[in-house]
Amino acid sequence: MPEPTGDHHYAADLDELEGTDRLLTEVNGLEVAVFRVEDDLYAVSNYCVHQGGPACEGRVSGILTVDDEGELIYDRNGEIVSCPWHGWEFDIRTGEHLANPRYRLPTFDVLVHDGEIYIEW
Amino acid sequence: MSTKTKRSFEGVATVVDTDVHLTESQADLMPYLEGPFAELIENAGEKYGGFWGNWYPAAGYFSPMDTGRIEIDSAGDPHELRDWEVEVLGVDRAVLNPTQNLGLGYVHHDELSAALAHAYNEYLLDTYLDDVSEFYGSAVVSPQKPYAAAEEIDDRADESKIVSIMFPTSGLHPPAGHSMYDPIYDAIERSGLPVCMHNGVSGLMASFPLQWRGFSRFMEAHAFVNPAQHMVNVASIITHGVPERFPDLDFVIMEAGLGWIPYYIHRLDEEYSAARHDAPELTQPPSAYFEDQFYFTSQPIEGTGDPNYVRNVIDAFGGQEKLMFSSDYPHFDFDHSDALLDIVRGGFEDGTVENVFSRTADRVFGF
Ligand code: FES
């Protein structure tokens, strides 16, 4: 298991994520959310690139899309967070805005060591 | 929900938000309903989910609010709304407008529409304006009953916190240049207040019934209707000489974005050059009336990702003197004050920042 280095900032204890899909923390003065999607952790900036809303505090959901036959389906449940100010949808894994990938929430690598979550910066 | 720290409005004495919304409900307004309707509906209660949705027909789209992705929790409470405006947007004065009562123009029952306008104005004063020093408001009127509307305007004109008259242009028929509305314009001009025009998606059903039937999604309906509805009413107002008949009246055109404004001013001038005979009351080209009597609110600013586009558009309609900041909070497409501040600061002189956020609104609304 890799050890935290000088680039790793302590964010939270792993058990704080127990029973919840995310936690919010502050690293170097920046608000960052750590999400659990399936068994992996993702760290995403909480400052919305649209107009500065708390992007990671909104609903975690899936998306409405179409399948190969053009039928409406609800897909990717748990992989998307929406900013509560205007509802822009972001991919938790990449920080990309689904409607226009030109807009992206900064994301950070996450390291778990000894029951502690670190964010790489 | 956490909020961000507001940007400094250095050099701007008083920041004005020219469009903030109440989210009035049936339960809010019923205690203020007067006259025969108060007695007539006394026992109707909340049967079948209430009657409000029948009075103001809705276009019936599945909106972004319906997904639960947008969480606006300070709507509906005057003090929370005030805190948002002051703490988050950095606003010193806010002009409150209705939500549901923007649709008064397509309430089928004319007398009921006039009674609802009166009830809304009472509710606005009683619940929001009397209590919160930062709040000012627009009194609404019913277009269907021009003489009742004129009386309502005369009654409200002296209220110190009523700073404009909302003429509900959403779904308005006939369009706003029709002479049947002259008593309304006359009363507004007499009051010294500006006339505000603000549309909404359900007006599509009344003004553009074929498009309403053809559009099955909120996105296409909403993208189209706000500017389209203004284009209908502004063309009508100009062609039929309303600003010529009411030269002291200021028009405030709200919530349709910016790019259509210079386009439409130029377009009307071109049309007038060829078809002046259709607008014989006019004594100058349409652009001159825009210059003298029209103002525009900023939200929803299209293209904030391309600040130069927005600056060019502002410049193209003389926004330095004509544009007023509006947030539209708490509606789903509200703008944070920073979005406009960054754009204006980045391309205009300090005087324009002051005009857009303060001075023009001070002049138009007469604070
Ligand atoms: S501020 Fe996040 S969607 Fe607008």
Side-chain angles (χ1 to χ4, degrees), chain A residues 31 46-47 50-54 57-59 61 64 72 82-89 102-103, chain B residues 1-4 7 67-72 84 88 217 304-306 331-336 339:
Chain A
E31 276 185 41
N46 191 34
Y47 186 86
H50 177 218
Q51 294 190 0
E57 294 178 45
R59 189 174 158 206
S61 68
L64 189 70
L72 289 180
S82 293
C83 177
W85 278 14
H86 307 94
W88 283 26
E89 297 162 307
R102 190 177 135 196
Y103 294 98
Chain B
M1 190 193 299
S2 79
T3 52
K4 61 191 258 188
R7 203 68 60 87
T67 65
R69 294 205 316 269
I70 296 163
E71 297 166 29
I72 290 196
W84 171 277
V88 184
R217 302 288 164 84
T304 47
D306 183 358
H331 289 168
F332 78 97
D333 50 349
F334 76 90
D335 278 338
H336 196 290

Side-chain angles (χ1 to χ4, degrees), chain B residues 79-96:
Chain B
H79 297 281
E80 284 184 34
L81 185 62
R82 179 237 166 247
D83 289 349
W84 171 277
E85 285 291 311
V86 174
E87 307 297 333
V88 184
L89 301 189
V91 163
D92 300 295
R93 286 185 179 133
V95 181
L96 304 185

Side-chain angles (χ1 to χ4, degrees), chain B residues 14 78-79 82 86 91-96 127-137 160-161 367:
Chain B
T14 314
H79 297 281
R82 179 237 166 247
V86 174
V91 163
D92 300 295
R93 286 185 179 133
V95 181
L96 304 185
T127 315
Y128 284 78
L129 303 191
D130 290 349
D131 260 18
V132 181
S133 64
E134 290 87 351
F135 285 167
Y136 297 78
S160 61
K161 291 215 136 181
F367 293 116

Side-chain angles (χ1 to χ4, degrees), chain A residues 2 11 41 43 79:
Chain A
L41 301 186
E79 299 177 26

Side-chain angles (χ1 to χ4, degrees), chain B residues 36 101 112 129 134 136 155 172 192 229 292 297:
Chain B
N101 284 287
L112 178 62
L129 303 191
E134 290 87 351
Y136 297 78
D155 283 355
L172 184 71
Q229 181 82 79
D292 293 344
T297 64

